[in-house]
Amino acid sequence: MEMESIIEYLENKTILVTGATGFLAKIFVEKILRIQPNINKLFLLIRASDSNLAMHRLHTEVLENDLFKNIKEVHKTNFQRFISEKVIPVAGDIRLQNFGVTKISLLNEMRGQINVVVSSAATTKFDERYDVALAINTLGVEHLSCFVNECPNMKLLLHVSTAFVSGEKSGIIFEIPFKMGETLNDKNHLDIREEKRVTQERHRQLIVEKANEEAMSSAMTDLGIQRAKLHGWPNVYVFTKAMGEMLLLKRLRQDVSLVILRPTIIASTYKEPFPGWIEGVKTMDSFIAAYGKGMTSCFLAHPNKVLDIIPADMVINVMIIAMGAHINKPVSMTIYHVGSSMSNPLKISTFKNCVIEYFAKHPLKSQQGNPIITSKTIRLLSSMSSFNRYMVIRYVIPLKVFKYLNILLGRAFNAWYLDAERKINIIFRLASLYKPYVLINTIYDDANLNKLHDISEMETFFFDVKSLNWEDFFMNIHIPGLVKYALRK
């Protein structure tokens, strides 16, 4: 299917997008409305208690974003009318059957009209509460499958997962599906219903113990880490996303094509709708931000480790091309790794050098307006043992000395001490969570992705990661965008 026919296919089609206020979903919605204004409808599932709140979130969190400025320039004063005709915010929650939508007329309208579902609702926190992550990333996918199965005109479900469902495996990871009950350590059988039961039982136990909200959240977070590691995954995010994939393969009806997209670390936009747009501080951006603010010059990372990054608009283009590749074709299930480690590997040492060079040329400013001086070097600690040793010598031992001084001084600096202790514990926890992504060398095979290049090489759906110059991308696109849209707010 060529570019023109993909755009033509989208005409008069109806798409449901879950997780519609999320980073990727916003870019997807903008692209669809820009390239095919004659789409029939976009139903956007937005977590909200009622339609008024859903409409409010649509406008404040999605449409008022800088991301939509190009479309606004095209439609000018007709923009609001255009949106009201094409975009339908649906107040609901992926964690509930039928998304919690009780208005039968709306449900019937959606079931009768929707042709494609883009499943992007997720919680991406590595240390999310287990009950929350399970409800959204796993059971939410089951609710979505049940809804799709009731839509007679449904052609395709495109589910956004993550390449990191592979866990801590090194070497080449292929684009293959999980089997129901599969684990990464082959030690236990994974039963999703049992995971749900364990979670509910722990929740009931905490209620009996009269745990407050903080204790409840901490206990459920610890449970998620425990259950993930029991089955071989490093964190609750990738564990629950893997289970979500399993449920999709089992629950989705057989006459609907399934595309599972597994992107790697998603960076800012490369070209569309303009370079450098990003929202919030993402995974690798926390390192960039910490260095740029002069907070650290040391990171846990191996210099030769490949950092697998993909610009956000390339992910969106793959999504649309994949839709075109699988709609009106024999029913299929296909997994796409969307990343760069196979085709254009980026070493952490290169990334590090870009960060140093950028802030040397363009330092951030303090609250007083003075340039923040950053270190001329970044020390990379290439193992957990070296990281732990560095932390103990640099922070833990001095803090223990301060602890006794604080006691001698009548605990006059107790608040400072407790805050410093908390921050050190957070650093250790984050190092444990991010370890697989900065120490283990994993390459994500992109054979299926490369087949999509045969469909369209055209500029409208550009996703040729081989053409990326990483130094140029970080120096002139990603870091400037991060500073503009995230760090200066």
Side-chain angles (χ1 to χ4, degrees):
M1 186 178 283
E2 296 296 330
M3 180 199 75
E4 291 82 1
S5 60
I6 292 172
I7 294 176
E8 288 170 4
Y9 173 82
L10 290 171
E11 186 172 2
N12 296 320
K13 293 300 184 293
T14 300
I15 301 174
L16 168 66
V17 181
T18 70
T21 59
F23 175 56
L24 268 186
K26 289 175 187 175
I27 305 174
F28 176 82
V29 169
E30 190 278 339
K31 175 98 180 190
I32 293 294
L33 292 174
R34 177 159 45 86
I35 65 172
Q36 184 45 279
N38 293 321
I39 194 165
N40 181 42
K41 287 178 185 174
L42 282 174
F43 285 101
L44 305 184
L45 183 64
I46 297 173
R47 189 183 298 180
S49 56
D50 56 52
S51 57
N52 290 332
L53 182 55
M55 183 66 75
H56 177 74
R57 290 195 68 193
L58 170 66
H59 283 277
T60 58
E61 298 180 36
V62 181
L63 300 177
E64 291 180 10
N65 204 292
D66 285 351
L67 185 69
F68 286 80
K69 66 182 182 181
N70 290 351
I71 296 181
K72 289 177 182 178
E73 289 173 2
V74 170
H75 293 277
K76 296 184 171 32
T77 57
N78 292 322
F79 176 72
Q80 291 299 336
R81 187 176 70 179
F82 170 67
I83 293 298
S84 65
E85 290 174 352
K86 301 298 179 181
V87 179
I88 312 296
V90 178
D93 193 326
I94 196 76
R95 295 175 293 184
L96 304 174
Q97 198 72 33
N98 287 328
F99 318 128
V101 176
T102 56
K103 190 176 180 182
I104 301 302
S105 59
L106 175 58
L107 277 175
N108 288 338
E109 180 185 4
M110 292 168 65
R111 288 170 180 151
Q113 293 188 18
I114 292 171
N115 312 112
V116 177
V117 168
V118 174
S119 166
S120 64
T123 174
T124 59
K125 288 176 60 177
F126 285 6
D127 57 348
E128 181 64 270
R129 288 175 52 143
Y130 192 33
D131 51 345
V132 173
L134 189 69
I136 297 173
N137 295 346
T138 304
L139 303 178
V141 174
E142 185 171 37
H143 297 151
L144 183 64
S145 299
C146 292
F147 175 81
V148 167
N149 292 345
E150 296 175 350
C151 299
N153 298 311
M154 187 67 63
K155 300 294 185 183
L156 173 77
L157 194 161
L158 189 151
H159 176 65
V160 181
S161 184
T162 170
F164 303 121
V165 290
S166 61
E168 297 179 287
K169 291 182 179 179
S170 60
I172 297 177
I173 306 298
F174 296 100
E175 298 161 303
I176 56 176
F178 285 106
K179 298 175 183 176
M180 179 59 76
E182 180 181 351
T183 64
L184 294 186
N185 56 15
D186 297 323
K187 292 181 180 179
N188 306 286
H189 175 72
L190 174 58
D191 185 335
I192 297 174
R193 296 301 152 202
E194 175 65 11
E195 294 305 309
K196 182 179 179 181
R197 187 199 66 77
V198 167
T199 308
Q200 291 172 338
E201 180 59 33
R202 181 66 177 128
H203 191 268
R204 281 193 293 267
Q205 182 184 1
L206 289 164
I207 291 175
V208 170
E209 295 171 358
K210 294 183 170 53
N212 61 26
E213 186 58 32
E214 183 180 356
M216 176 80 74
S217 180
S218 177
M220 296 308 290
T221 298
D222 289 342
L223 178 65
I225 295 172
Q226 172 196 330
R227 299 304 296 184
K229 291 187 174 179
L230 174 68
H231 297 297
W233 279 270
N235 59 65
V236 72
Y237 166 54
V238 294
F239 176 42
T240 52
K241 290 295 283 185
M243 288 191 287
E245 288 191 17
M246 294 176 193
L247 282 178
L248 261 184
L249 291 166
K250 185 175 179 64
R251 304 296 188 205
L252 190 66
R253 75 175 199 241
Q254 296 301 304
D255 63 336
V256 175
S257 288
L258 173 62
V259 170
I260 296 178
L261 215 72
R262 291 178 179 170
T264 54
I265 298 171
I266 301 175
S268 58
T269 55
Y270 178 59
K271 289 185 177 182
E272 295 184 85
F274 49 86
W277 186 78
I278 195 169
E279 192 172 54
V281 177
K282 310 298 180 188
T283 310
M284 66 174 176
D285 300 328
S286 59
F287 300 106
I288 299 174
Y291 175 79
K293 292 178 180 179
M295 296 169 63
T296 186
S297 61
C298 175
F299 298 120
L300 172 68
H302 195 289
N304 293 325
K305 162 76 169 69
V306 171
L307 191 62
D308 200 317
I309 294 172
I310 185 77
D313 51 334
M314 289 191 180
V315 178
I316 299 304
N317 288 337
V318 171
M319 291 167 66
I320 298 173
I321 290 288
M323 286 166 51
H326 295 280
I327 286 174
N328 292 336
K329 297 286 179 69
V331 176
S332 61
M333 192 290 297
T334 310
I335 292 174
Y336 293 99
H337 281 153
V338 189
S340 57
S341 56
M342 179 67 81
S343 299
N344 189 1
L346 164 69
K347 286 189 176 183
I348 284 180
S349 57
T350 302
F351 167 72
K352 177 199 74 171
N353 292 338
C354 290
V355 173
I356 293 171
E357 184 179 353
Y358 180 84
F359 287 109
K361 294 179 178 179
H362 313 284
L364 296 176
K365 291 186 177 179
S366 66
Q367 292 182 342
Q368 292 74 33
N370 300 317
I372 296 174
I373 305 302
T374 55
S375 171
K376 294 181 180 179
T377 61
I378 295 177
R379 182 178 180 182
L380 297 181
L381 302 168
S382 58
S383 68
M384 281 302 295
S385 59
S386 62
F387 171 80
N388 290 334
R389 187 164 54 250
Y390 175 86
M391 288 295 296
V392 167
I393 295 171
R394 184 74 181 267
Y395 298 106
V396 176
I397 292 176
L399 188 63
K400 284 185 176 180
V401 172
F402 182 83
K403 176 182 178 180
Y404 294 113
L405 287 174
N406 183 45
I407 293 171
L408 291 173
L409 293 171
R411 301 185 188 276
F413 299 95
N414 213 44
W416 186 94
Y417 166 75
L418 292 174
D419 184 60
E421 184 181 47
R422 180 185 63 83
K423 288 178 179 177
I424 289 173
N425 289 334
I426 289 173
I427 291 172
F428 276 114
R429 189 180 187 95
L430 289 175
S432 178
L433 288 171
Y434 285 110
K435 178 182 67 173
Y437 314 108
V438 292
L439 295 182
I440 300 173
N441 227 14
T442 306
I443 305 297
Y444 293 96
D445 176 59
D446 56 4
N448 289 338
L449 183 68
N450 286 329
K451 293 175 185 176
L452 293 182
H453 283 287
D454 299 333
I455 298 172
S456 175
E457 294 277 354
M458 305 193 71
E459 190 69 14
T460 301
F461 299 111
F462 179 82
F463 63 95
D464 182 16
V465 72
K466 296 184 185 72
S467 66
L468 280 176
N469 179 299
W470 288 118
E471 289 83 356
D472 176 68
F473 177 71
F474 282 109
M475 294 293 294
N476 299 314
I477 298 175
H478 182 73
I479 303 179
L482 179 67
V483 170
K484 179 179 180 179
Y485 294 105
L487 300 189
R488 285 182 179 164
K489 291 188 177 181

